[in-house]
Amino acid sequence: MTKPKTTQTTRRGALKTLALGGGAAATLPLWARYTSAQTAAPIKVGFQVHRTGIGAAYGRWYDRTTTAAAALINEQGGINGRPIEIVAEDDGTDPKRGAEVVEKFASQHECDVGFGTLFSHVVIGSAPRAGELKLPYFVVSEGHHVASGMLNRYTLQPGITDVKSQVQAMAPFVAENLGKKVTMIFPDFAFGHDHRDFFTAAIEAQGGEVLEHIAIPPTETSFTKYFPKIPRDTEVIYHVMVGPAVLTFVKELGEFFGPSRPEIFGFIDSLEAVNIASPGLEFLDGTYFWEGNPRYAQDNQSDYDAFFRARVGVDANGASISDPKDISTYAHMFGCWETLHVIKAGMEAAGYQSAADRGKLIEAVEAIEEMPHSNAYPQGAKIFNGKTHQVFGHQYISKVVDGKLLLVHTTSIEDTLYPDEVDYTTQPL
């Protein structure tokens, strides 16, 4: 990966804002926090949220995290002395509706930016319209579609790492500790296809092989019929499922194998918003999961993670403080918190005042290189590649021990890097 060339002035301004993470302004009285703004009008962030459809569990927690982050930013003086306002629209986790929502943000709501989209097929369906409208579109999706060059200069993913970087960092651990003959089970759409393509290449680079690819429709509700396709000589089952039936998937996988099973390495997507101590999941003890952010507060928990949990209302087990049965999507939702802080940093570095400054905002975010571990970036330190519009950060591998996730391995950021596939900065604004 090649770091973007930037001017010192822009870079310093961006990094200064990033490093602050919002401290001093919080001590100001309310009347003084917005006095420096040229206008009292709020910065409008169009929040494209999966309230319904297969992404609803994520959408609910993306919403909760976004609300908490916006409240914190406003307590600290807002953005350029103006309050931030979240304008939420449900896209139904549907690509066509996603593009319509982007249109509403730009034309009806007059939003300054679009933000928050998770499911990759919705991003792919929405991003072209954002580019046409010149609406900066900050996605929290993990798909490789941004960094691959598929999209456009107005689409950025600065708050969460992509699948290609994740699996590249995970594959050595799988090959060295679990086995090299792998069967993959994944959802049959763009996100799952990224896993299929990039993990297959990554495990082969470790001297392993994928014996079988099992693609499952993301709206499937029963999975037992797929499991006989798993070859007998499989050493590791690699699973990454999404949607409302993930608990059914994991339970049926356990019922199929019984006490005799291969090693299992899953992406926590298969259990996001699901209690690992649920009846029928006992067989997961001793299996491994990738986590974007450890659900359970670990013994070495940072002050930043504790701050984030408290602000969003999440306990040490990754559940809602108000309802221990309400399990968060903790491995992903931090991306909303961190992306809003990137938007704040970019707008302040660009001196953003109105939609006329959208191009300046894009250039300012492209100039960001480092995001220090802080209250603004509680998941961990990151670096941003302004050419590919993709952030890179630490990945976490946890083991299920006595019904909880225990962190056993943290990758370096360097483990996640790969050569640039696009230079969006060469595209016109």
Side-chain angles (χ1 to χ4, degrees):
M1 168 183 147
T2 304
K3 285 190 174 182
K5 295 180 180 178
T6 65
T7 63
Q8 278 304 107
T9 302
T10 301
R11 181 177 180 275
R12 267 199 221 105
L15 292 184
K16 180 180 179 183
T17 305
L18 286 164
L20 285 173
T27 64
L28 294 173
L30 281 172
W31 63 266
R33 292 182 193 170
Y34 303 110
T35 55
S36 62
Q38 295 181 17
T39 172
I43 296 286
K44 289 187 176 182
V45 175
F47 178 31
Q48 187 176 355
V49 57
H50 307 328
R51 292 200 193 281
T52 55
I54 61 173
Y58 287 93
R60 187 163 53 84
W61 280 96
Y62 269 37
D63 192 356
R64 185 163 171 170
T65 305
T66 296
T67 299
L72 175 65
I73 289 171
N74 284 337
E75 287 175 18
Q76 296 170 343
I79 296 175
N80 289 329
R82 295 164 60 189
I84 185 173
E85 177 185 339
I86 303 299
V87 180
E89 287 279 356
D90 176 23
D91 63 15
T93 326
D94 176 78
K96 182 176 182 295
R97 283 180 60 182
E100 294 169 354
V101 164
V102 168
E103 177 77 43
K104 289 183 71 174
F105 287 155
S107 304
Q108 180 176 325
H109 299 301
E110 298 182 338
C111 291
D112 295 277
V113 299
F115 155 83
T117 323
L118 169 62
F119 273 60
S120 57
H121 63 309
V122 183
V123 172
I124 292 168
S126 305
R129 190 65 186 124
E132 292 166 357
L133 294 165
K134 298 187 182 300
L135 179 74
Y137 187 50
F138 292 83
V139 300
V140 190
S141 173
E142 292 186 296
H144 183 58
H145 32 267
V146 177
S148 71
M150 178 190 293
L151 303 179
N152 55 66
R153 193 171 182 182
Y154 278 85
T155 305
L156 308 96
Q157 190 159 257
I160 195 166
T161 59
D162 71 330
V163 170
K164 184 173 182 176
S165 65
Q166 293 164 3
V167 301
Q168 178 178 297
M170 299 295 104
F173 181 92
V174 174
E176 293 168 13
N177 298 280
L178 306 181
K180 295 186 176 181
K181 294 182 178 181
V182 182
T183 289
M184 297 186 66
I185 306 174
F186 53 88
D188 195 9
F189 70 107
F191 171 71
H193 300 163
D194 278 354
H195 277 270
R196 175 196 64 197
D197 297 342
F198 298 126
F199 184 78
T200 298
I203 199 69
E204 287 176 352
Q206 301 299 316
E209 62 177 324
V210 176
L211 303 180
E212 188 72 36
H213 293 107
I214 302 176
I216 299 179
T219 54
E220 184 64 89
T221 57
S222 182
F223 307 90
T224 304
K225 63 186 176 184
Y226 296 96
F227 300 145
K229 298 179 182 179
I230 300 171
R232 289 182 176 274
D233 53 343
T234 295
E235 296 173 346
V236 185
I237 293 175
Y238 175 110
H239 64 91
V240 51
M241 291 303 298
V242 296
V246 288
L247 178 57
T248 302
F249 166 76
V250 180
K251 281 186 174 182
E252 290 183 354
L253 186 65
E255 291 167 358
F256 179 80
F257 281 105
S260 178
R261 60 164 176 78
E263 294 284 359
I264 296 179
F265 180 86
F267 267 58
I268 200 63
D269 307 60
S270 297
L271 279 180
E272 280 285 62
V274 173
N275 187 350
I276 294 175
S278 298
L281 298 188
E282 294 82 5
F283 84 101
L284 285 174
D285 207 64
T287 71
Y288 295 83
F289 282 93
W290 165 89
E291 294 190 274
N293 203 19
R295 178 188 297 185
Y296 289 82
Q298 304 295 312
D299 289 341
N300 64 343
Q301 180 192 28
S302 70
D303 291 341
Y304 310 126
D305 182 72
F307 177 82
F308 172 68
R309 286 178 191 264
R311 293 292 306 207
V312 180
V314 176
D315 68 17
N317 294 323
S320 172
I321 289 174
S322 59
D323 180 3
K325 295 181 180 178
D326 186 5
I327 309 300
S328 70
T329 56
Y330 204 77
H332 295 81
M333 67 194 201
F334 71 88
C336 292
W337 179 282
E338 298 196 0
T339 301
L340 277 182
H341 281 91
V342 170
I343 292 171
K344 171 181 166 66
M347 285 186 168
E348 293 181 345
Y352 184 92
Q353 294 298 324
S354 70
D357 297 324
R358 285 171 174 169
K360 293 179 182 178
L361 169 61
I362 296 294
E363 291 177 325
V365 174
E366 288 172 342
I368 294 170
E369 294 181 3
E370 299 175 7
M371 302 175 189
H373 196 194
S374 60
N375 284 343
Y377 306 98
Q379 185 263 0
K382 296 177 183 65
I383 61 174
F384 183 66
N385 185 338
K387 290 184 177 181
T388 66
H389 287 190
Q390 179 60 56
V391 78
F392 294 83
H394 299 286
Q395 309 299 330
Y396 303 98
I397 296 178
S398 299
K399 184 177 183 179
V400 181
V401 179
D402 297 328
K404 291 188 176 183
L405 288 159
L406 178 66
L407 181 65
V408 295
H409 180 68
T410 302
T411 76
S412 68
I413 296 177
E414 288 69 27
D415 291 336
T416 71
L417 303 180
Y418 53 77
D420 296 354
E421 298 173 34
V422 67
D423 183 354
Y424 284 118
T425 65
T426 63
Q427 297 181 6
L429 287 165

